[in-house]
Amino acid sequence: MNIIEIINKKREKQILTKEEIEFAVTGFCTGEVKDYQMSSLLMAICLNGLSQEETFYLTDCMLHSGDTIDLSSIHGIKVDKHSTGGVGDKTTIILAPLVASLGVPVAKMSGRGLGYTGGTIDKLESIPGFQVTKTEKEFIKQVNEIGVSVVGQTGDLVPADKKIYALRDVTGTVSSIPLIASSIMSKKIASGADKIVIDVKVGEGALVNNIEDARTLAHTMVEIGKRYQKQTVCILTNMDEPLGCNIGNALEVQECIEILQGGGPKDLKDLVITLASYMVMLGKEISLQEAKVQVIEQLTSGKAYDKFLEFIKAQEGDITKLMVAPKVFSVKSVKTGFVETIDALKIGKLVHDIGAGRTKKEDEIHYGVGVKINKKPGDFVTEGEELIKVYLDTIDCKMQDVLDCFVIANDAKVNQTLIYEVIE
Ligand code: URA
């Protein structure tokens, strides 16, 4: 077999065999297939696509490129949740204890942020003392004892995806649907859960920005799930604006606490209730309506918050020491009108640039910096009224750049749809 023939075949829109896909992926991992050859194949896939069968072979091959986690010693149906990523998306920190408080075990491995979207692990690490590293044995023990654990990746899960993703990032091949589907599903299946809920973000601040592509991505992932007998539910949600009001690691944890105590912004709360209801439906094998009633009860009664405190304590975090940055600036509107849009990408980048994110893996994060949005799309604002607060420490930003994230109009037509559809 020859990598050039495989590249040519895909360039000519032909279907690759299981062996050819294996040859390319395995060869790339061992170094026999060079970066420039894999880049070329990825671009051919990006332009000409993969069939369902090819996508499955690619997923399977990536899945078997490294370790897999065995969660069978945890009692009950384990439901994992994944988000395709968005600005202000902090749902895992709320969902993990919330769902666990209803008896559905959550054994979750999460990632760090790279680029303008934050990562759950960085957000959790903004809680002083919080430990994200555990052995597989300790991780499983904690889930069996208190029902929940969220850690950084243990072992060497799907190394092929790490290598391929790094290449996609710099070759303009991130947006291919079969590549996204196989990347996400190989990692989810390797992490050992029985069932999977995926929040597929659609919009300007998301990986896919139209509903048709989001549907195709969702159907592809549901089909891959079926091949492994892992029931998969994809929820297509709006990412035209940041989720919730707080963006930045410690500020996002603060907002999670507000939701767990029964308050918090409506969009975040509604999304959490929807995602948690599907997770509980799958985990307890009950109806969606029944699951929703139970989820709301946990949030209003404080039981979800109690589980959160237990979870943070089990991972040695001290929530009383959570700190936000000391310099707080209030940015005021220069116009009267309705907030039409808040550019999620711009605001994500701004928060990243004041220190909340990293550009290179070894960059240090400033946990306390970020923003608190005071006016969301659809809200009326008068000139001089506060739009947003900015929390800074050592890195400054231009207030005009903050203002540029907002569009204020005389009569704003705002797309308030949060959940577009569910594909299962
Ligand atoms: N998230 C992933 O894990 N992989 C992708 O390809 C895109 C988003």
Side-chain angles (χ1 to χ4, degrees):
M1 219 172 281
N2 175 329
I3 187 66
I4 303 168
E5 281 167 16
I6 297 173
I7 298 168
N8 285 341
K9 214 172 152 183
K10 192 35 76 186
R11 193 197 61 215
E12 297 305 320
K13 303 190 173 68
Q14 292 172 31
I15 302 285
L16 301 179
T17 63
K18 180 171 186 274
E19 291 70 27
E20 286 166 334
I21 292 172
E22 242 165 45
F23 181 88
V25 173
T26 314
F28 182 54
C29 289
T30 59
E32 273 153 69
V33 170
K34 303 297 173 202
D35 274 12
Y36 50 84
Q37 294 170 320
M38 195 59 176
S39 305
S40 181
L41 180 60
L42 290 170
M43 185 53 86
I45 292 175
C46 217
L47 296 174
N48 296 331
L50 289 179
S51 68
Q52 219 174 67
E53 208 63 13
E54 288 175 297
T55 309
F56 170 67
Y57 292 143
L58 177 60
T59 310
D60 203 53
C61 191
M62 298 216 293
L63 165 64
H64 291 112
S65 67
D67 299 336
T68 52
I69 307 282
D70 179 4
L71 298 179
S72 59
S73 55
I74 298 173
H75 321 295
I77 299 173
K78 279 77 67 184
V79 187
D80 199 356
K81 169 259 164 193
H82 183 80
S83 157
T84 58
V87 175
D89 189 348
K90 61 225 22 118
T91 54
T92 294
I93 299 170
I94 308 165
L95 288 168
L98 168 58
V99 168
S101 74
L102 284 164
V104 177
V106 179
K108 180 138 185 66
M109 285 185 191
S110 285
R112 292 186 186 278
L114 193 62
Y116 65 86
T117 53
T120 300
I121 290 299
D122 295 327
K123 293 172 197 184
L124 285 170
E125 276 188 337
S126 72
I127 304 169
F130 193 95
Q131 298 303 311
V132 298
T133 312
K134 284 194 178 277
T135 63
E136 195 175 324
K137 210 168 144 197
E138 290 166 340
F139 172 58
I140 289 174
K141 183 168 176 273
Q142 183 177 320
V143 181
N144 273 329
E145 281 170 5
I146 68 161
V148 54
S149 183
V150 182
V151 294
Q153 208 177 293
T154 70
D156 193 15
L157 256 65
V158 199
D161 178 65
K162 281 196 201 99
K163 269 200 96 178
I164 294 175
Y165 196 87
L167 202 55
R168 286 169 59 205
D169 216 16
V170 293
T171 55
T173 52
V174 167
S175 62
S176 152
I177 288 173
L179 294 180
I180 299 173
S182 54
S183 164
I184 293 175
M185 291 305 283
S186 58
K187 284 177 291 198
K188 290 293 106 184
I189 291 158
S191 318
D194 303 307
K195 301 185 182 185
I196 303 159
V197 172
I198 303 179
D199 179 2
V200 179
K201 303 283 190 195
V202 191
E204 289 314 313
L207 213 56
V208 282
N209 41 37
N210 66 79
I211 197 87
E212 290 76 25
D213 283 352
R215 265 187 207 128
T216 311
L217 175 60
H219 282 297
T220 310
M221 293 194 290
V222 168
E223 283 311 309
I224 295 172
K226 278 188 194 150
R227 297 271 194 142
Y228 294 93
Q229 285 89 47
K230 309 250 184 207
Q231 191 178 352
T232 303
V233 176
C234 291
I235 302 167
L236 275 49
T237 70
N238 182 342
M239 210 345 114
D240 282 336
E241 56 170 298
L243 185 62
C245 296
N246 295 14
I247 309 161
N249 300 285
L251 285 159
E252 293 193 37
V253 172
Q254 271 190 351
E255 193 166 61
C256 292
I257 294 172
E258 286 170 28
I259 298 277
L260 285 159
Q261 291 179 330
K266 184 175 180 322
D267 61 342
L268 178 60
K269 186 173 192 154
D270 288 352
L271 181 61
V272 159
I273 290 173
T274 303
L275 294 172
S277 301
Y278 276 96
M279 290 175 79
V280 171
M281 174 191 91
L282 294 176
K284 294 177 93 166
E285 299 187 314
I286 56 176
S287 72
L288 183 65
Q289 288 72 12
E290 211 177 318
K292 190 169 176 184
V293 170
Q294 293 186 12
V295 164
I296 293 171
E297 160 64 18
Q298 296 305 97
L299 286 175
T300 46
S301 67
K303 287 187 191 135
Y305 183 59
D306 291 343
K307 183 56 78 181
F308 169 78
L309 294 177
E310 206 182 343
F311 154 57
I312 300 299
K313 187 164 170 234
Q315 294 192 219
E316 299 168 53
D318 185 350
I319 207 71
T320 62
K321 296 204 171 108
L322 188 72
M323 296 272 284
V324 297
K327 290 192 268 176
V328 186
F329 296 93
S330 174
V331 181
K332 312 243 172 11
S333 180
V334 289
K335 210 173 148 184
T336 295
F338 290 90
V339 177
E340 189 169 76
T341 53
I342 303 177
D343 190 317
L345 261 175
K346 266 192 196 161
I347 216 156
K349 189 169 176 323
L350 187 131
V351 173
H352 170 274
D353 291 349
I354 59 174
R358 47 172 92 70
T359 309
K360 301 186 295 305
K361 262 207 307 251
E362 50 288 356
D363 288 347
E364 265 195 26
I365 286 198
H366 299 228
Y367 289 112
V369 304
V371 297
K372 252 188 194 190
I373 297 166
N374 194 34
K375 296 284 179 183
K376 295 272 282 178
D379 287 351
F380 184 71
V381 60
T382 52
E383 188 186 332
E385 211 183 342
E386 182 181 271
L387 279 175
I388 188 168
K389 272 194 180 71
V390 186
Y391 293 71
L392 300 170
D393 51 25
T394 54
I395 307 170
D396 278 337
C397 70
K398 292 198 191 90
M399 292 306 145
Q400 188 57 46
D401 290 345
V402 183
L403 271 177
D404 286 347
C405 297
F406 288 79
V407 175
I408 315 282
N410 289 338
D411 57 302
K413 291 169 230 47
V414 177
N415 172 12
Q416 301 275 18
T417 312
L418 180 69
I419 316 284
Y420 290 122
E421 56 193 71
V422 177
I423 292 174
E424 48 191 312

